[in-house]
Amino acid sequence: MLKIRTVCGNGIGSSLMAANHVKNICAALNIKADVASIDFANAEGEKADLYVTIKDLAKQFTDQSKVAIIRSYVNKKQIEEDISEKLQQLAGV
């Protein structure tokens, strides 16, 4: 099971909406994942398999290989386009 964290500044608004979309995308791809939202300050302490966030926050992560950059927190189609390939790689699908 993949541990995925959606990340925004406070972890309660934008990233929560993105987390719901990521859960649905994982389900559609038959990927088992623990998906939750978190604030940026605590994100890397979560030791996730994948962090999903926007470009401005992504560049601040130390391990760029674990970051998927999304263009929007709310547009499911764009999120799916942005992360599907990386999800499949991580899940070995």
Side-chain angles (χ1 to χ4, degrees):
M1 179 178 289
L2 295 177
K3 184 175 182 180
I4 302 170
R5 295 297 176 254
T6 57
V7 184
C8 70
N10 294 319
I12 56 174
S14 303
S15 62
L16 186 58
M17 288 185 280
N20 288 327
H21 291 314
V22 172
K23 285 177 192 176
N24 292 330
I25 293 164
C26 287
L29 295 172
N30 292 317
I31 295 172
K32 293 185 182 206
D34 168 22
V35 182
S37 63
I38 192 165
D39 64 291
F40 178 76
N42 293 302
E44 287 192 279
E46 281 284 309
K47 302 207 185 292
D49 297 305
L50 183 65
Y51 302 99
V52 177
T53 193
I54 58 171
K55 187 177 185 178
D56 289 341
L57 292 177
K59 61 186 173 188
Q60 298 178 49
F61 279 87
T62 55
D63 187 352
Q64 290 294 305
S65 68
K66 291 186 170 193
V67 180
I69 298 172
I70 56 175
R71 294 170 281 168
S72 167
Y73 284 113
V74 297
N75 186 314
K76 183 182 177 188
K77 185 176 190 281
Q78 286 182 340
I79 294 170
E80 187 171 9
E81 290 169 358
D82 294 339
I83 70 169
S84 290
E85 186 175 327
K86 193 152 208 164
L87 285 174
Q88 292 172 334
Q89 287 174 349
L90 287 171
V93 176

